[in-house]
Amino acid sequence: MYEQHSITIMMDTKELLEWYLASGVDAICGDKPVQFDNKVQIAAVSATTDSRPAITDLAQMSVTACKNAREICSQASSLEELAAGVEKFDGCALKLTANKTVFGDGNPNAKIILVGEAPGADEDRIGKPFVGRSGQLLDKMLAAIGIDRSQVYITNILMWRPPGNRTPTSAEVAVCLPFLKRKIELINPEIIVALGAPAANALLDAEETISKIRGKWLEYSPLPGKSIPLLPTFHPAYLLRNPAQKSKSWFDMLRLAKKISNN
Ligand code: URA
């Protein structure tokens, strides 16, 4: 069992905001202003040594969550049913800290599915993938080859924002992966575009760097005997930080356009 402790610490407003930022609280929600009285109540959760779940229990919880995820997926015969199953699913703790579930968006009959890593602050607020700065760049990249959002389906490995945009843990990826795979099965696209190494590696069960695999046509194999061409490319957030790499992405987009015209 976990014990809940309440500690009162005196901080000035600047310190308080810095403390929030350091804790991963980098967005506000709610529209009522809050009066800071320079006191912050920290509800700290700590575990006593005799009551902490054993590592094996945690591993078992993760295995059970993956099993439940797969069961929900096998029972869903449409994206709507899958989304309803996700709403009931409680096997991913990120759901507790996220504002919204970001299931996916776009054309459910799309020939192209784009997969990112996880929702950011804007996506968490709005409930749709790639609606922030990365999304705006993604829209421009697609527009450059004559594609708009109505022609594609966009989703992420994770459906909930990791606090402070931290890197998802492998357990979080594992528990969300069955949902991503079921989405792909239900949409049955001709092409998958993996935005960044995490998306490519999750689907290919690999551990490659994006520089090594970007721009190459790889194969995602959902079932023995079936494969879907998968193109890894730089994540738009990476391109925003490293604009000099945009020329390589342009070649990837041209490769995508060529594949679409040959299909
Ligand atoms: N980055 C992602 O990987 N996905 C989003 O939806 C937004 C930013």
Side-chain angles (χ1 to χ4, degrees):
M1 289 296 293
Y2 288 98
E3 288 177 6
Q4 180 121 355
H5 302 287
S6 191
I7 318 162
T8 302
I9 298 175
M10 294 300 294
M11 290 184 189
D12 65 26
T13 307
K14 183 168 175 289
E15 282 172 330
L16 176 60
L17 291 173
E18 281 169 358
W19 178 79
Y20 276 134
L21 270 177
S23 313
V25 181
D26 60 358
I28 48 166
C29 54
D31 37 19
K32 291 214 177 80
V34 175
Q35 174 69 49
F36 290 119
D37 60 359
N38 295 358
K39 259 192 210 170
V40 57
Q41 288 274 343
I42 303 173
V45 176
S46 73
T48 53
T49 40
D50 54 344
S51 60
R52 190 185 315 155
I55 297 290
T56 46
D57 291 348
L58 292 174
Q60 187 53 50
M61 280 158 68
S62 187
V63 168
T64 306
C66 289
K67 189 166 162 265
N68 292 345
R70 284 196 298 273
E71 207 164 297
I72 290 172
C73 290
S74 68
Q75 284 165 9
S77 51
S78 66
L79 285 180
E80 291 75 23
E81 282 179 21
L82 188 60
V86 168
E87 284 312 312
K88 289 190 207 123
F89 180 67
D90 61 5
C92 182
L94 292 176
K95 199 176 185 182
L96 300 173
T97 48
N99 283 307
K100 295 250 168 80
T101 296
V102 182
F103 182 80
D105 190 39
N107 186 340
N109 303 311
K111 292 193 162 70
I112 307 168
I113 179 162
L114 295 114
V115 183
E117 184 178 27
D122 294 316
E123 291 75 21
D124 180 53
R125 200 165 32 82
I126 293 172
K128 290 193 174 172
F130 284 96
V131 290
R133 283 184 68 223
S134 295
Q136 286 158 18
L137 178 56
L138 181 61
D139 286 345
K140 285 185 193 158
M141 289 160 66
L142 294 174
I145 54 165
I147 298 177
D148 67 40
R149 282 198 186 218
S150 69
Q151 294 164 274
V152 298
Y153 192 86
I154 307 184
T155 189
N156 286 299
I157 314 169
L158 265 61
M159 289 174 286
W160 301 282
R161 181 194 184 213
N165 294 347
R166 66 160 169 76
T167 304
T169 65
S170 48
E172 288 160 355
V173 170
V175 89
C176 289
L177 198 53
F179 295 108
L180 172 61
K181 290 186 169 177
R182 187 65 181 141
K183 277 177 224 171
I184 295 175
E185 229 166 28
L186 291 167
I187 294 167
N188 194 21
E190 289 174 12
I191 293 168
I192 300 171
V193 178
L195 301 165
N201 285 331
L203 288 171
L204 301 172
D205 195 16
E207 284 185 26
E208 299 290 359
T209 62
I210 193 66
S211 314
K212 188 163 166 216
I213 55 175
R214 63 139 278 278
K216 295 185 181 151
W217 282 108
L218 305 173
E219 298 284 336
Y220 166 64
S221 186
L223 299 166
K226 174 160 170 94
S227 70
I228 305 173
L230 181 150
L231 181 71
T233 190
F234 288 131
H235 192 288
Y238 172 81
L239 295 174
L240 288 171
R241 293 191 304 271
N242 301 278
Q245 302 288 354
K246 283 185 185 172
S247 56
K248 291 183 185 152
S249 287
W250 172 234
F251 283 112
D252 297 350
M253 290 299 107
L254 291 177
R255 222 157 272 168
L256 175 61
K258 190 168 167 208
K259 186 84 161 179
I260 296 167
S261 67
N262 288 342
N263 272 9

